[in-house]
Amino acid sequence: MEEKEKKINLQEPEITFSGTRETGMTVPSGFFEDFQAKMEQAIDREAAPNIGRISAEGQEPLHEVSRWNRWIGIAACAVIVAVAYPLWQVLQPVDGANTEEVLAQSAIELATEEEENDLVFASMSDYDLYDLYCEL
Amino acid sequence: MPKQSTTKALNPKEEAELKAQLADPEKRRSAFSRLISAYQEQLYWQIRKLVINHDDTADVLQNTFLKAWQNIGSFRGDSKLSTWLYTIAHNESLTFLTKMQAERDLTIDDPEGYVQEQIQADKYFDGDEAQRKLLRAIATLPAKQRQVFNLRYYDEMPYEEMSSVLGTSVGALKASYHFAVEKITAFFRKEEI
């Protein structure tokens, strides 16, 4: 019990000090003068008005469009549609066939009848050709 | 080379004036210069006793004043300026130690190796063997107990003020100091054997 009371005793222990309570630590000469100047600069940088910083200044003001400007915009859109539609019609093939059909047709027309015959006979063996000529 | 704080603390009248100027946005900047001038040495030594190394102390001190400047608008003036600054310095020192010890894979409450190394490496230490030994003994204390011991032993800060700085009750601080002294005494006894 006595031991416990001794442990929770909050009386400040007696310490005999030998001289001043110095830690033995030192600072370089002129450190505090230099520090003050350095600190002043750091504070001025902190206090500088928004240089290189992003800040929310508020919402950008609304850009109002007048009624006249609005009608100009609508008219410009109408003109674009009016010009684009006839142009699109002009560019359509005359017979109504689409571009792929036209191209396919022209490719077939490029080959003559003789060329087509060559193509057929080239795939036949000499023997078959002989038979064919005999029949003809 | 200076060893201890040579600047005098502000008297109550000067402190009240300074607080009023700090509250005024137009006079704040010049008042803050006075604040730095008045408290830089006291804060330096408070931080140095925890951080040990001079260069690290200078960095922590700069961060302390920057934090104070950034938060000067929220300082209501209820507490003493020194108490407010001590609190910021204390938190900055602990943040620094936590960061350093995380980098070195040590825990904040076991910094003896780190502190020993700092004492050995610090060129701004010209204390005798007893002072070196006391610092080594203090290094064995947990971070908060170390701070209590430093504030009471070296700075002779009243417990009431220390209570505001550290956010701990006076009773707990007295107990903490008591146990710190016991541990330091045990450390010295062990060294003697």
Side-chain angles (χ1 to χ4, degrees), chain A:
Chain A
M1 191 68 187
E2 272 183 19
E3 187 66 28
K4 198 179 177 186
E5 276 175 7
K6 200 178 175 184
K7 274 197 171 177
I8 57 168
N9 175 20
L10 299 181
Q11 291 298 312
E12 196 165 308
E14 290 291 325
I15 304 172
T16 311
F17 299 113
S18 55
T20 54
R21 293 172 186 180
E22 284 188 357
T23 53
M25 294 168 178
T26 59
V27 281
S29 300
F31 167 74
F32 290 113
E33 290 78 8
D34 293 346
F35 181 81
Q36 173 95 28
K38 197 175 149 193
M39 206 60 235
E40 300 279 347
Q41 287 174 357
I43 297 285
D44 287 336
R45 273 200 304 273
E46 277 286 307
N50 296 333
I51 296 169
R53 293 183 195 175
I54 298 167
S55 62
E57 291 288 336
Q59 201 173 13
E60 192 178 337
L62 288 172
H63 176 69
E64 293 210 9
V65 181
S66 68
R67 186 177 289 182
W68 175 243
N69 283 342
R70 191 177 298 146
W71 279 112
I72 287 179
I74 293 168
C77 288
V79 168
I80 290 167
V81 171
V83 171
Y85 182 71
L87 199 64
W88 176 72
Q89 280 194 321
V90 167
L91 292 174
Q92 285 298 306
V94 178
D95 58 356
N98 64 30
T99 316
E100 284 178 11
E101 285 172 344
V102 172
L103 285 173
Q105 191 68 30
S106 58
I108 289 166
E109 284 171 0
L110 283 175
T112 61
E113 197 173 340
E114 282 182 5
E115 283 166 344
E116 278 181 15
N117 287 338
D118 286 346
L119 213 66
V120 172
F121 297 143
S123 63
M124 295 173 78
S125 65
D126 290 344
Y127 184 77
D128 291 335
L129 277 175
Y130 176 75
D131 273 351
L132 187 65
Y133 282 123
C134 287
E135 283 176 16
L136 289 173

Side-chain angles (χ1 to χ4, degrees), chain B residues 71-83:
Chain B
N71 295 293
I72 193 76
S74 59
F75 176 63
R76 289 175 299 171
D78 298 338
S79 63
K80 286 168 72 178
L81 280 169
S82 58
T83 306

Side-chain angles (χ1 to χ4, degrees), chain B residues 157-171:
Chain B
M157 186 184 276
Y159 282 116
E160 288 72 24
E161 191 179 343
M162 212 190 295
S163 172
S164 309
V165 172
L166 303 176
T168 314
S169 71
V170 170

